[in-house]
Amino acid sequence: MLNSWVVMPTCLPTVLRRCHACASGRFRTTGKFRVNANHKLIDVWLLALCVGCGETTKITVLERANVRSVRPELLDRAHGNDPALAAETLRDPVVRRRNRIALDWDGAWRLDTGGTDHLDREVIDVSVRFAAPVPVRPVRLIADGCGLSRAAVERLAEEGRLVSAVRLGGRLSGDFTFTLKR
């Protein structure tokens, strides 16, 4: 029987960027946007607060864009401080590269295994699905979901009792399956 696990985000990730006021390297996004129009040009920023001093920084979403070229639903979502738009903005690699930021997902996701009935079985077939592209090590997911240590999961993989088509050592943010034989 195939079990389905889901990796779900619980909140927005922490933004890693140097604060110009206190030299802290972490910002919490509030999910609020600032929209500024100047004649026919518009700017949209996602606001973030420094964890150390509370200073506000702006993550550029749109810069000096022609108002007519911006989709009206995007502007409505930015004006309404849509949390889903904030999450989409942070996941966008173009926005992250342009603003020179990285994301820290520690504590911003959870694993839903659907219960603990799979822990008693001799062979477990699991399909792991990501609700959002959260980069996580598969070894950590398997350890958390099966109630094992990461070293025990790595040992099972070396012994051939943990089999997967993906590499278990690196970070992964896409769906995968594995089979565990105890």
Side-chain angles (χ1 to χ4, degrees):
M1 184 169 94
L2 184 68
N3 292 327
S4 294
W5 293 359
V6 180
V7 176
M8 301 178 61
T10 57
C11 62
L12 293 173
T14 303
V15 174
L16 301 177
R17 172 194 242 180
R18 184 69 52 201
C19 178
H20 69 279
C22 72
S24 170
R26 305 173 73 75
F27 285 84
R28 276 274 170 218
T29 54
T30 60
K32 296 194 183 302
F33 289 89
R34 177 159 183 237
V35 180
N36 185 31
N38 185 5
H39 300 286
K40 295 180 182 179
L41 301 177
I42 193 164
D43 297 313
V44 178
W45 299 286
L46 176 64
L47 302 178
L49 299 174
C50 177
V51 175
C53 67
E55 185 73 22
T56 302
T57 190
K58 298 184 288 191
I59 299 169
T60 303
V61 180
L62 294 174
E63 186 172 37
R64 295 290 181 213
N66 191 318
V67 174
R68 292 181 189 257
S69 69
V70 179
R71 296 185 329 267
E73 61 270 6
L74 176 70
L75 283 178
D76 290 342
R77 291 174 71 191
H79 280 294
N81 293 322
D82 184 9
L85 179 61
E88 291 170 21
T89 300
L90 288 175
R91 286 193 300 257
D92 186 358
V94 174
V95 171
R96 288 198 317 257
R97 188 173 37 253
R98 183 184 329 136
N99 289 282
R100 293 186 209 106
I101 61 173
L103 301 179
D104 182 11
W105 283 93
D106 287 345
W109 61 273
R110 69 178 172 85
L111 177 64
D112 183 17
T113 61
T116 60
D117 60 338
H118 65 278
L119 296 177
D120 299 336
R121 290 194 224 128
E122 194 66 30
V123 177
I124 304 169
D125 288 322
V126 178
S127 169
V128 180
R129 186 177 62 82
F130 286 76
V134 179
V136 182
R137 295 185 192 284
V139 170
R140 180 176 179 189
L141 289 178
I142 296 168
D144 289 350
C146 295
L148 302 170
S149 68
R150 284 188 240 170
V153 171
E154 289 172 355
R155 196 173 328 109
L156 289 170
E158 288 173 4
E159 294 170 358
R161 297 192 298 171
L162 173 62
V163 180
S164 179
V166 299
R167 198 183 80 169
L168 299 175
R171 290 187 183 267
L172 187 68
S173 60
D175 301 349
F176 70 98
T177 59
F178 69 90
T179 301
L180 177 65
K181 301 172 189 169
R182 294 189 189 236

